[in-house]
């Protein structure tokens, strides 16, 4: 078990650049457009994102696979350990390079502990306190997702949670890829990188904020006018 854990995690650390940005949506049009920038490493969905587009996991995965071979994260919904494991195996078989999101409560952690030695990539999700992150890391989950904005929404400090998780992982030398998840603006995305995020899960809206600044747009207009004044357009 320890051997498998080390293997999985060493490999993940080597390929960490493969996981810098997960696009957090199940909207295939958005995914296709964003992938064209060349900076999307993976796709993250959850049942909420699937419900937003009103489509089944199988159909969304099939569409994404027609143009993208990076990791696709999908969430296992059963709440009992054995059922989570069965659903994770089923989802994993839908395509190459699937990551199974599993909520980090005790039943989920037990499932992760069994799935990792099978070579199934898990992402411990809905992490809202540092203890859940510790448990997920010690269970060997290759990915973990501390949630930032959802923790903020109940009056706690999501970024502080993230900082604690990062510090704890460094202190215990836990190698899981730490994904800053549930990010609602570009500032939180950058803050979480500065706090040591290995990876970001960005909604399409936040992803687009990466490229935008009014001064840039103003500058483009001004430079276009200047160019046209030279070339007489
Ligand atoms: O499932 C992971 C997402 O990053 C959660 O984000 P959300 O708060 O937008 O659903």
């Amino acid at each position: 078990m320890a051997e498998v854990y080390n293997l999985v995690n060493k490999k993940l650390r080597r390929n960490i650049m493969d996981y810098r940005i997960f696009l957090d949506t199940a909207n295939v049009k958005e995914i296709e457009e964003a992938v064209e920038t060349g900076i999307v490493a993976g796709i993250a969905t959850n049942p909420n994102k699937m419900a937003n587009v009103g489509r089944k996991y199988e159909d969304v995965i099939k569409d994404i696979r027609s143009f993208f071979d990076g990791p696709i994260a999908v969430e296992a919904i059963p709440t009992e350990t054995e059922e989570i494991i069965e659903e994770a195996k089923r989802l994993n078989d839908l395509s190459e390079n699937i990551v199974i999101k599993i909520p980090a409560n005790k039943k989920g952690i037990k499932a992760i502990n069994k799935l990792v030695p099978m070579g199934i990539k898990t992402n411990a999700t809905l992490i809202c306190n540092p203890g859940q992150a510790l448990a997920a890391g010690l269970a060997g989950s290759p990915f973990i997702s501390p949630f930032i904005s959802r923790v903020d929404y109940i009056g706690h400090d999501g970024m502080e949670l993230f900082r604690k998780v990062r510090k704890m992982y460094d202190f215990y030398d836990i190698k899981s890829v730490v994904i800053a998840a549930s990010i609602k603006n570009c500032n939180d995305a950058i803050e979480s990188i500065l706090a040591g995020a290995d990876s970001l899960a960005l909604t399409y809206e936040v992803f687009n904020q990466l490229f935008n600044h009014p001064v840039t747009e103003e500058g483009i207009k001004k430079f276009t006018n200047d160019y046209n004044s030279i070339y007489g357009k």
Side-chain angles (χ1 to χ4, degrees):
M1 165 64 196
E3 229 169 58
V4 175
Y5 169 83
N6 284 332
L7 259 179
V8 168
N9 283 295
K10 269 185 195 152
K11 189 161 176 256
L12 283 171
R13 296 309 290 187
R14 258 204 320 276
N15 297 334
I16 201 147
M17 284 299 287
D18 296 346
Y19 301 112
R20 286 302 193 204
I21 294 181
F22 280 86
L23 195 70
D24 206 358
T25 176
N27 183 317
V28 175
K29 264 194 170 164
E30 292 177 353
I31 295 169
E32 199 164 7
E33 192 274 322
V35 161
E36 282 173 9
T37 61
I39 67 167
V40 173
I43 310 304
T45 70
N46 64 25
N48 170 246
K49 318 274 177 203
M50 294 288 187
N52 286 345
V53 294
R55 302 188 65 205
K56 293 185 177 153
Y57 289 18
E58 293 79 358
D59 299 333
V60 172
I61 290 171
K62 199 172 163 211
D63 283 358
I64 297 171
R65 275 289 172 258
S66 66
F67 59 88
F68 182 73
D69 61 5
I72 303 176
V74 289
E75 193 149 339
I77 279 311
T79 50
E80 295 300 320
T81 301
E82 281 312 313
E83 290 165 24
I84 296 171
I85 292 170
E86 283 319 302
E87 175 67 351
K89 290 200 253 179
R90 186 186 77 79
L91 294 172
N92 188 60
D93 286 344
L94 290 178
S95 168
E96 292 288 305
N97 216 352
I98 295 288
V99 176
I100 312 294
K101 292 170 91 172
I102 298 174
N105 61 11
K106 198 191 262 182
K107 288 173 180 171
I109 297 296
K110 286 182 181 177
I112 289 170
N113 180 52
K114 295 216 167 115
L115 288 164
V116 171
M118 294 177 201
I120 292 180
K121 287 185 270 195
T122 57
N123 175 356
T125 190
L126 276 167
I127 288 183
C128 298
N129 81 42
Q132 293 172 301
L134 176 63
L138 294 178
S141 187
F143 300 88
I144 69 150
S145 294
F147 273 37
I148 293 177
S149 68
R150 287 196 192 209
V151 167
D152 288 342
Y153 292 157
I154 59 156
H156 295 195
D157 186 339
M159 198 56 72
E160 187 53 22
L161 158 71
F162 193 85
R163 284 192 201 97
K164 283 184 182 165
V165 170
R166 179 74 267 170
K167 202 166 177 185
M168 186 171 64
Y169 269 45
D170 290 344
F171 192 67
Y172 269 15
D173 198 25
I174 296 173
K175 304 280 192 229
S176 315
V177 174
V178 181
I179 304 172
S182 189
I183 289 175
K184 291 294 175 304
N185 59 66
C186 189
N187 191 48
D188 278 355
I190 304 304
E191 279 301 311
S192 60
I193 294 172
L194 298 180
D198 294 314
S199 176
L200 306 170
L202 302 181
T203 61
Y204 184 67
E205 291 70 28
V206 178
F207 179 78
N208 282 324
Q209 288 175 17
L210 298 181
F211 311 95
N212 287 338
H213 196 283
V215 176
T216 307
E217 296 311 313
E218 201 43 50
I220 291 170
K221 267 190 209 150
K222 174 99 180 57
F223 289 164
T224 304
N225 287 340
D226 291 344
Y227 178 91
N228 288 343
S229 75
I230 301 166
Y231 286 93
K233 285 188 187 165

